[in-house]
Amino acid sequence: MRRLLLAITIALCGLALIAGTVEWQWRQRGYLPGILDGQDLWAQQRQRVYPEDGQQALVLLGASRTLYSIDLQRIRERLPGYAPVMLALDAMPAMATLRDLSADPHFRGVVVCDIDGIGLWKITWESQQPWVDHYHRQWTPSRDLHRRLLNLWQQHAVIARSDFSLLRSLVRTLRSEPEPFHPHMQMSSAREGSIDYQGVDTSQHRRDLEAHLAKYNGKFPGPDPAVWHADLAEAKAWVEKIRQRGGSVIFYSSPISGLRRQVEEDTYPRAQFWNRLAESTGAHTLHADDVPALKAIALPDESHVDYRNKRAYTDALIDALVTRKLL
Amino acid sequence: MQFDSLTFVVFFLGLLALYQLPWSWSARKWLLLLASFVFYGAWSPAFLLLLIGSASVDWWLSLRMAAATAPQLRKRWLLVSLAANLGLLGFFKYGNFLNRNVESLLAAIGVHWQAPVFDILLPVGISFYTFQSLSYCIDVYRGQVPVQRSLRDYVLFVAFFPQLVAGPIVRYSEFRDQLEQPRRSSADGVVVGLSLMLLGLFQKVVLADTVFAPVADTGFVAGAAPGTALAWSATLAFSGQIFCDFAGYSMCAIGAALMLGFHLPDNFRSPYAAVGFSDFWRRWHISLSTWLRDYLYVPLGGNRGSQWLTARNLMLTMLLGGLWHGAAWTFVAWGAFHGAWLGIERFGRRVLPDSTLLRAWPMRACYGAFTLLVVVWAWVWFRAPDFATAASIHGAMLGQQQTPAPVLSTEAWIALASFGVLVLAHLLTRSFDLRAALGRAPAVALGLLWALLLAAIVLSPGAGRAFIYFQF
């Protein structure tokens, strides 16, 4: 027994010394701990769409614009009857998740689905399906506990990030590469993202979009409006199912500016696409262009909100939804 | 619940604490059974019912077998057990595979029938626990083990959580005494068990998931046409990944059991240092290869008939062994390739004179290197998603791809170096008794070893991949 206790003591001291030294060394260079997004974290939020205590779930679907722009605490403060759940996924349109919620007989919440023309085009509908499958096939209470403990670890330890793993450090040393970027994005365990645009070269986003656009001779190929609307008949059934259970669906076009806006207007002219969306899907719609307060929000990279403006943006969105009696 | 999850840490520490309480052996067996159910039910409560149902049926059939005096009746009960176990495995694991093949076969003769595709989830560990349960029924039929009259003890034998989902496949004869005699955690058992668990987790988390898997994944992409360097690096990286993943799991299983006072058999003994193919199969997934030997190869006739019959038996055993790993023809090809080399080796032993030259170390070294090369070559079928990808990778390994040779990434060089170290470690530990060495190690050395292993694990945060053998 003495041998065991001595070995355990040495092991724990050694671990604390090694891991503590590495942690201290990264913190000295200004790195901070942070939650890493993933399928388990998403599934952990997905299981929260059935709130109790008389609340109704307010499910936020969409891609990065919603993931990094919404202040969940502000929603809790201003809409106490709703439990906000963030299911937006970076760079992935949300139709697969909307379909999944409609097929879930226990879901009775309100869905605010931030989406644009391409996100409603059927060819992108399956983008989030792997996350949906993960929730239904892999997610268990055991994974939930693991993820909760991992959240705690990631919230407190810089070394929980794979950028600082032994292998990555070795690779950087062998390649004489600089240290990892100081991330300008943060994520919370409730999947609320934040972007700090201070010191970020936002013109790079525009240059990337220009380069991408140049490949298509200045205009992205878009769908035939008739086909685009006809495909949405399927989504109309999803919306109806949610409505029958006491919930609702609001398709929301979030603010964009500059070249991004020009591209959207060229490829999906509002008159032909968005303006007929309510009719095609039976859902409520809200376009940021119709809300001066949303239009006025600064968009450093033409589509996302700096974390300092999240509260104002969330207020503007809540006001618009409440004013139109959508909440 | 995976060994490399934080949930398991909480679960196992809680179990160890409860296990130390001064309860009767019977109560502690109930505790182990409950813990095993929690461990397995963490994946799927529905499949836990399947596991309990399957084990209960075999337990009942074994009682009927033991009660029957007429040989015909005993045989009938055995056939029911075989049908139940293989039927279960067939339905969950091979149903869609069978349908697809019947559809292709009918299409070949001009009959167009669209096979239904069942959305069936494979219950984790089903291949392992059905084989374990089946071996017990066959042993009872043969009169090699006494029947277990306690349902609880029998279900605990099948469902004992350390080995439940990915082996080692334990024989009842190895476990029976351990069920009868009260077990306790001992300080020495915890020392060795904890060491094995940390070594296993190091292999899984640091080597398999972090070092090898990303490099293997870059080469094994369906439809890709990798160059020679990429094909070799991906294949060698997968050779490292599959060993560290599976042997890592087995080591964790053996370690966890040892900490509870149970002894599970070794499943790997430095397989990449094997000299010859029969030697490889005495060192790789030992509990499966001995299972296939005792319950398939020997009943087929083993080596008791002519050379051709022996070769046939070997090939059939390896074909089915390949199919056991997965419902795809690529696994069958992998098994067939190994079967062919086992046959060739057997033939070679017969025709070549048993000279001292052949037994000299340079010849053995050459043959060992050749064995490793063939084993690595065969892993391509095991890992590739289809034959076209496997052919593309094999072609690239032979330099047949016309794509420009890419410069290997730093990660690939690290994986190759790690594989080299792994092979060297196997060579150095060919006849090494790890458990005995850990049992004798001084506390300071153990403490330092544990600290280094723990630090490497903590400093390798990653994707948290499932163990490869879970899908089998």
Side-chain angles (χ1 to χ4, degrees), chain A:
Chain A
M1 184 55 86
R2 202 167 150 264
R3 177 169 165 250
L4 173 63
L5 291 177
L6 182 59
I8 288 176
T9 307
I10 293 171
L12 291 179
C13 291
L15 172 66
L17 185 69
I18 298 169
T21 304
V22 177
E23 175 77 15
W24 176 80
Q25 174 235 333
W26 287 118
R27 282 184 184 253
Q28 285 296 100
R29 290 165 160 79
Y31 292 98
L32 294 171
I35 294 284
L36 303 176
D37 201 5
Q39 289 187 330
D40 277 351
L41 193 67
W42 188 90
Q44 199 168 55
Q45 295 307 306
R46 171 64 180 82
Q47 72 184 357
R48 292 184 56 244
V49 303
Y50 322 101
E52 290 167 0
D53 305 329
Q55 280 189 315
Q56 192 172 23
L58 179 64
V59 179
L60 299 153
L61 299 186
S64 56
R65 291 177 208 165
T66 282
L67 186 61
Y68 292 105
S69 305
I70 299 287
D71 183 335
L72 295 178
Q73 183 55 32
R74 190 62 181 153
I75 294 180
R76 287 184 205 108
E77 287 166 10
R78 291 208 43 202
L79 301 169
Y82 290 94
V85 180
M86 177 60 78
L87 294 182
L89 278 166
D90 206 355
M92 285 179 225
M95 292 298 267
T97 306
L98 178 62
R99 178 176 57 202
D100 177 55
L101 290 172
S102 82
D104 182 343
H106 304 293
F107 176 68
R108 295 178 168 79
V110 175
V111 179
V112 177
C113 182
D114 176 4
I115 201 154
D116 56 11
I118 194 165
L120 286 159
W121 191 6
K122 196 165 183 178
I123 59 168
T124 66
W125 285 10
E126 301 306 315
S127 303
Q128 294 190 357
Q129 191 57 40
W131 273 256
V132 172
D133 289 342
H134 179 79
Y135 172 69
H136 287 293
R137 297 190 159 218
Q138 309 283 333
W139 186 245
T140 59
S142 162
R143 286 189 96 108
D144 190 11
L145 177 58
H146 170 75
R147 185 64 226 199
R148 280 169 201 273
L149 295 169
L150 193 61
N151 287 350
L152 276 177
W153 175 238
Q154 289 181 350
Q155 275 164 352
H156 294 98
V158 174
I159 53 173
R161 279 180 51 189
S162 55
D163 278 348
F164 305 117
S165 72
L166 276 182
L167 182 71
R168 296 307 320 153
S169 300
L170 178 62
V171 168
R172 270 196 302 274
T173 306
L174 292 173
R175 285 187 191 149
S176 303
E177 282 180 352
E179 288 171 1
F181 283 117
H182 284 265
H184 62 293
M185 293 160 148
Q186 282 287 329
M187 180 68 69
S188 76
S189 55
R191 294 192 73 254
E192 179 184 330
S194 301
I195 308 179
D196 180 358
Y197 278 104
Q198 209 164 50
V200 174
D201 176 13
T202 52
S203 63
Q204 184 61 42
H205 288 276
R206 188 184 169 94
R207 285 198 293 277
D208 289 347
L209 185 59
E210 279 169 347
H212 194 43
L213 196 57
K215 289 185 201 163
Y216 292 93
N217 298 321
K219 188 173 188 300
F220 288 125
D224 176 342
V227 175
W228 189 86
H229 283 287
D231 285 342
L232 284 168
E234 207 178 317
K236 191 172 190 171
W238 309 341
V239 171
E240 185 52 31
K241 268 190 184 174
I242 292 175
R243 203 200 317 269
Q244 281 174 0
R245 293 196 297 261
S248 68
V249 177
I250 303 148
F251 284 120
Y252 164 54
S253 177
S254 52
I256 46 175
S257 63
L259 180 60
R260 200 164 289 277
R261 182 186 178 89
Q262 186 190 319
V263 166
E264 181 72 12
E265 286 174 353
D266 284 353
T267 320
Y268 301 92
R270 186 169 169 180
Q272 292 172 43
F273 289 90
W274 186 268
N275 287 354
R276 290 170 49 204
L277 184 62
E279 184 191 332
S280 299
T281 61
H284 304 293
T285 60
L286 175 67
H287 199 293
D289 280 359
D290 302 335
V291 185
L294 283 171
K295 254 182 108 174
I297 297 282
L299 304 169
D301 69 350
E302 302 185 348
S303 64
H304 297 90
V305 175
D306 183 272
Y307 82 96
R308 296 169 190 83
N309 287 328
K310 274 169 60 178
R311 187 182 167 100
Y313 175 81
T314 308
D315 275 339
L317 179 59
I318 291 172
D319 289 342
L321 292 168
V322 171
T323 308
R324 287 163 179 76
K325 296 191 168 39
L326 300 178
L327 288 179

Side-chain angles (χ1 to χ4, degrees), chain B residues 150-400:
Chain B
S150 159
L151 176 61
R152 178 204 57 196
D153 284 8
Y154 182 70
V155 178
L156 179 58
F157 157 66
V158 176
F160 185 50
F161 75 88
Q163 44 78 31
L164 171 58
V165 292
I169 302 168
V170 181
R171 304 286 182 86
Y172 182 68
S173 54
E174 296 166 324
F175 208 72
R176 178 176 161 249
D177 287 347
Q178 303 192 59
L179 283 170
E180 305 297 331
Q181 303 296 323
R183 323 299 299 173
R184 278 265 174 218
S185 298
S186 66
D188 286 344
V190 171
V191 163
V192 179
L194 186 57
S195 303
L196 290 176
M197 286 195 82
L198 290 176
L199 280 167
L201 285 173
F202 174 80
Q203 289 189 63
K204 164 66 180 164
V205 176
V206 181
L207 296 178
D209 286 2
T210 310
V211 174
F212 291 125
V215 178
D217 290 349
T218 55
F220 287 91
V221 179
T228 303
L230 182 58
W232 273 105
S233 63
T235 304
L236 289 168
F238 180 68
S239 305
Q241 184 196 354
I242 185 84
F243 171 78
C244 291
D245 190 285
F246 192 19
Y249 187 93
S250 290
M251 223 175 230
C252 287
I254 294 165
L258 209 49
M259 288 173 80
L260 296 166
F262 286 83
H263 292 264
L264 300 184
D266 281 339
N267 219 13
F268 292 88
R269 277 191 212 116
S270 307
Y272 288 152
V275 180
F277 301 95
S278 48
D279 189 30
F280 175 78
W281 282 103
R282 280 192 294 269
R283 295 170 176 277
W284 179 275
H285 202 174
I286 300 164
S287 62
L288 176 69
S289 52
T290 51
W291 196 102
L292 291 171
R293 180 195 66 200
D294 294 344
Y295 299 107
L296 191 58
Y297 177 69
V298 171
L300 280 170
N303 56 5
R304 296 189 298 276
S306 67
Q307 285 299 311
W308 283 113
L309 279 176
T310 302
R312 182 206 68 176
N313 297 340
L314 261 179
M315 182 55 83
L316 273 174
T317 304
M318 294 311 292
L319 286 174
L320 289 168
L323 196 60
W324 177 88
H325 285 84
W329 288 110
T330 44
F331 287 110
V332 180
W334 172 77
F337 191 68
H338 271 281
W341 278 107
L342 283 167
I344 292 167
E345 185 175 80
R346 196 173 178 83
F347 179 72
R349 280 215 193 93
R350 197 175 139 82
V351 296
L352 289 175
D354 185 19
S355 69
T356 48
L357 178 69
L358 284 175
R359 278 186 272 122
W361 75 263
M363 287 299 288
R364 287 175 58 77
C366 286
Y367 193 39
F370 177 72
T371 307
L372 180 61
L373 187 70
V374 172
V375 166
V376 166
W377 182 268
W379 284 132
V380 171
W381 285 298
F382 199 93
R383 174 63 177 81
D386 49 54
F387 279 114
T389 309
S392 165
I393 289 172
H394 277 146
M397 288 166 82
L398 293 173
Q400 288 172 357

Side-chain angles (χ1 to χ4, degrees), chain B residues 1 13 17 45 72 81 94 97 165 169 217 237 240 272 317 322 343 355 358 377 401 428 467 470:
Chain B
M1 201 183 298
L13 288 176
Q72 282 303 319
S81 169
Y94 302 104
F97 175 68
V165 292
I169 302 168
D217 290 349
Y272 288 152
T317 304
S355 69
L358 284 175
W377 182 268
Q401 293 287 4
L428 294 173
F467 285 92
F470 279 16

